[in-house]
Amino acid sequence: MKWATYNVWNENKGRGNRTLQILDEVCRTGADIIGLQEVTPDFYEKHLLRQVDYPYCVYGKYLDEEEGLAILSRYPFDFSFFLGTSKEYAYAAALHIILRVQGRRISFLNLHLPWDSARRKEEQILAIDRYLHEQAALADYSVMLGDFNGSLNSSVHRYLLGEQTIDGMEAKPYWYELSSAYAVLHGIPLKPTLDFIHNPRWERKNTTDIPYAADRIYVMDGIHSVVLKQVEQFGTEISPTTGLCASDHYGVMAYIEWKE
């Protein structure tokens, strides 16, 4: 299977008409399931539902914002829930589905953590992780992906890996992050997805921000595991028409096989 995540950079922001670029990148991945962030209702209804070949789709709008999360799937899902409507789960920008693939039940969550508050990031990841552990009994595999708005040095990442607590809580079972695992095991550098140096959205004017891997894919530790075949980026090409990449983020896709 192919799992992918992509922050499409709300098309009402920034310069240039990037609609076709975004759609091309989404289609070119060939992902079985893809989680998208910063999707406006208009873009979802007029373009994603009509111009990409995914028969099963779901959308949730961020609280008090004109954009949200979308999941596109080639497989039907039995259940969906948007945590952004729930006080119990910190109104987290997280969209969850459970689907069946080749007799396996997969819990798949797409998220977008806040960029402007470490405290809110921690509150939301605690709520999201608690929710996913509550749902874990319903699935053979649990996948969490999206824009984490933080680096591998963040408290969120260390918490998910079981390397620190937040407010006395711990992730148990913990999670594996696929991009960094693939890079280390294959002796290659981990590429940033928020690239302040090469992505023209930043106009090469940055002198302080360090590029980092903000967009990540995690799988929950457990008896049933997966074989990670490859991880790759997409959305890195610069259009001669717009002078931009399709987004200010690069996307990430992981190829996995089931471990029998």
Side-chain angles (χ1 to χ4, degrees):
M1 287 193 72
K2 300 178 183 178
W3 302 330
T5 178
Y6 196 28
N7 182 325
V8 300
W9 187 19
N10 180 346
E11 76 277 7
N12 294 322
K13 299 175 182 176
R15 296 178 287 108
N17 182 357
R18 297 172 291 107
T19 297
L20 293 180
Q21 280 179 267
I22 294 169
L23 294 174
D24 285 346
E25 292 294 346
V26 170
C27 293
R28 191 158 39 222
T29 66
D32 294 288
I33 314 172
I34 183 168
L36 305 175
Q37 305 89 44
E38 291 196 25
V39 178
T40 64
D42 186 71
F43 187 76
Y44 177 73
E45 293 170 5
K46 291 185 178 179
H47 300 290
L48 292 177
L49 291 182
R50 301 180 185 182
Q51 295 176 260
V52 297
D53 186 24
Y54 283 92
Y56 307 102
C57 307
V58 63
Y59 180 79
K61 191 170 79 66
Y62 303 157
L63 185 67
D64 300 326
E65 293 189 53
E66 286 304 316
E67 60 188 47
L69 300 165
I71 295 176
L72 314 181
S73 173
R74 301 197 187 282
Y75 299 92
F77 38 88
D78 300 330
F79 168 87
S80 69
F81 177 61
F82 182 54
L83 279 67
T85 62
S86 172
K87 181 179 180 180
E88 180 183 0
Y89 298 113
Y91 300 111
L95 182 61
H96 179 238
I97 64 172
I98 293 180
L99 64 160
R100 295 177 184 270
V101 181
Q102 300 169 6
R104 297 169 173 87
R105 297 167 300 171
I106 302 173
S107 166
F108 185 94
L109 183 133
N110 174 28
L111 63 76
H112 190 184
L113 295 183
W115 65 271
D116 57 349
S117 171
R119 179 182 59 80
R120 289 178 57 226
K121 276 197 278 276
E122 290 183 346
E123 287 176 349
Q124 292 195 15
I125 202 61
L126 283 176
I128 291 167
D129 182 59
R130 173 167 55 86
Y131 169 81
L132 288 176
H133 280 84
E134 291 171 355
Q135 300 297 315
L138 303 177
D140 300 307
Y141 303 89
S142 295
V143 183
M144 172 171 52
L145 49 70
D147 178 1
F148 288 79
N149 266 314
S151 72
L152 300 188
N153 292 320
S154 68
S155 58
V156 166
H157 180 67
R158 295 196 305 270
Y159 169 81
L160 292 173
L161 266 60
E163 295 179 355
Q164 80 159 66
T165 60
I166 295 178
D167 288 344
M169 306 300 293
E170 62 180 341
K172 192 175 182 179
Y174 52 80
W175 299 80
Y176 297 108
E177 199 284 310
L178 300 186
S179 293
S180 54
Y182 187 82
V184 170
L185 294 174
H186 290 81
I188 58 177
L190 177 64
K191 297 179 181 179
T193 62
L194 195 55
D195 189 347
F196 300 111
I197 297 174
H198 301 103
N199 191 314
R201 178 261 190 265
W202 309 105
E203 299 180 335
R204 304 184 187 276
K205 294 180 180 179
N206 171 61
T207 61
T208 56
D209 292 312
I210 300 172
Y212 64 95
D215 306 84
R216 304 194 288 270
I217 303 174
Y218 294 80
V219 293
M220 188 186 290
D221 182 38
I223 296 174
H224 303 293
S225 189
V226 297
V227 178
L228 179 60
K229 305 298 289 186
Q230 188 175 354
V231 175
E232 65 180 44
Q233 285 190 348
F234 59 93
T236 60
E237 295 182 7
I238 300 172
S239 165
T241 302
T242 65
L244 296 166
C245 295
S247 174
D248 59 345
H249 287 241
Y250 303 144
V252 179
M253 182 161 61
Y255 297 68
I256 66 95
E257 290 181 356
W258 308 118
K259 187 174 183 180
E260 300 297 340

